[in-house]
Amino acid sequence: MLNIIVFAVTLLAANSALARDRPIRSCEKAPLLAEIQKLLPDHVIGKTADVEPNPVEKLPQFPRGIWMRSGSSLTCVVVVLDETGKPQDAIVSYPSRMGLNEQEKQVVLSVQWTPAQVAGQARPSLVSMDFEIH
């Protein structure tokens, strides 16, 4: 898991100029999402699973800093879930120059999810959370 985090941080730094030049309107087009998928090929994208992962409880109030620091009206966070729906990591996929501070990461990781299922089997998954200012 540490290797994933180190690689993601490296990607964040390398792609920051690229992400600033191309604003996006949907987290499905987040620049680093494909890179995260490559790092975790055994994880399914939650939206493509037969049974999508869903939060078990009401989502908590997320810190305003996620929106304020991003410099964008849209911030995308990919939550890495194990096969039971337990969050393992949270990685910002857009804008790529941003990361979560420890408090923000803990709030995102506090959300328990139902597991993704493919062909009746629980699978590890990636869930994209959108933080948007309207």
Side-chain angles (χ1 to χ4, degrees):
M1 195 55 69
L2 181 59
N3 291 342
I4 295 169
I5 295 169
V6 170
F7 184 72
V9 170
T10 303
L11 283 174
L12 293 174
N15 289 321
S16 64
L18 178 64
R20 274 182 264 162
D21 293 340
R22 293 188 324 198
I24 64 170
R25 296 180 191 261
S26 166
C27 288
E28 293 173 5
K29 300 190 184 300
L32 296 180
L33 182 57
E35 298 301 320
I36 296 167
Q37 287 177 280
K38 287 178 190 175
L39 287 172
L40 301 166
D42 59 326
H43 287 62
V44 297
I45 299 295
K47 288 189 174 194
T48 66
D50 297 339
V51 177
E52 293 182 34
N54 287 300
V56 173
E57 303 170 348
K58 182 180 174 191
L59 293 176
Q61 181 69 32
F62 292 103
R64 289 185 46 85
I66 292 175
W67 292 278
M68 296 173 66
R69 286 193 349 270
S70 75
S72 171
S73 62
L74 177 66
T75 302
C76 306
V77 177
V78 175
V79 183
V80 179
L81 304 176
D82 68 13
E83 63 279 348
T84 68
K86 182 179 180 189
Q88 302 298 302
D89 200 3
I91 304 165
V92 175
S93 60
Y94 180 82
S96 60
R97 67 187 176 277
M98 187 188 149
L100 298 175
N101 66 33
E102 194 57 35
Q103 177 196 11
E104 294 163 347
K105 191 171 191 173
Q106 291 309 312
V107 171
V108 171
L109 294 177
S110 72
V111 178
Q112 179 68 34
W113 298 78
T114 60
Q117 292 186 23
V118 176
Q121 299 291 318
R123 295 281 309 275
S125 61
L126 303 173
V127 175
S128 187
M129 295 181 76
D130 307 3
F131 298 92
E132 190 166 11
I133 298 174
H134 297 281

